[in-house]
Amino acid sequence: MGTKEQVQCEFLLLQLYCHSESSFFAKIPYYYYIKEISQNLKEPMWLDKIKNRLKERHYPRVEGFVQDMRLIFQNHRASYKYNDFGLMGLRLEAEFEKVFKEVFAIQETNESSPVV
């Protein structure tokens, strides 16, 4: 990952840390210690782990960073299917997707838009 992309990912992560509900996702999730839940998850993931991976330049491409971020929310949905905590994950996930598109200047296309 180039320097520009590295800084963009760090900025995006910082934006999520500033979100009011991010503290719940910053540290290793409690379900990591519950065998019945954790064995069904691909890999436990949390914000501090991603921060360390960024610091260590673990991600060769932005795609790996985005996959880890989305893994946080996938794991959260699987662990809190019928719980108010699930809504917290949905809100932070929506914030991530919004800021990701802004930081990387990704514009959504509308199928009814004329092609230029």
Side-chain angles (χ1 to χ4, degrees):
M1 176 171 8
T3 303
K4 180 182 177 184
E5 291 85 9
Q6 176 79 19
V7 170
Q8 287 173 305
C9 290
E10 290 170 357
F11 178 75
L12 175 51
L13 185 62
L14 179 62
Q15 291 294 314
L16 288 184
Y17 272 114
C18 291
H19 194 275
S20 61
E21 295 170 326
S22 69
S23 63
F24 188 80
F25 300 91
K27 304 293 180 198
I28 188 168
Y30 91 91
Y31 56 74
Y32 175 76
Y33 301 104
I34 301 174
K35 185 179 179 180
E36 297 81 35
I37 296 175
S38 65
Q39 69 186 7
N40 295 325
L41 302 177
K42 181 179 175 186
E43 176 188 2
M45 190 58 61
W46 55 95
L47 295 175
D48 286 355
K49 186 174 185 178
I50 293 173
K51 178 180 79 173
N52 289 334
R53 286 182 171 187
L54 276 172
K55 193 184 315 181
E56 296 165 358
R57 297 188 120 356
H58 170 84
Y59 300 110
R61 296 179 24 209
V62 173
E63 179 183 12
F65 166 78
V66 172
Q67 287 174 341
D68 278 355
M69 290 299 300
R70 289 179 175 157
L71 183 57
I72 292 174
F73 307 119
Q74 290 167 6
N75 289 345
H76 188 76
R77 277 194 303 277
S79 303
Y80 296 102
K81 289 180 185 174
Y82 309 105
N83 193 311
D84 288 339
F85 285 118
L87 296 175
M88 234 178 11
L90 292 175
R91 287 189 292 268
L92 192 62
E93 181 178 23
E95 182 68 12
F96 166 74
E97 295 295 340
K98 181 184 115 197
V99 176
F100 172 67
K101 289 174 185 170
E102 291 170 359
V103 168
F104 287 92
I106 298 171
Q107 297 180 3
E108 292 190 36
T109 59
N110 185 340
E111 289 183 23
S112 62
S113 300
V115 177
V116 180

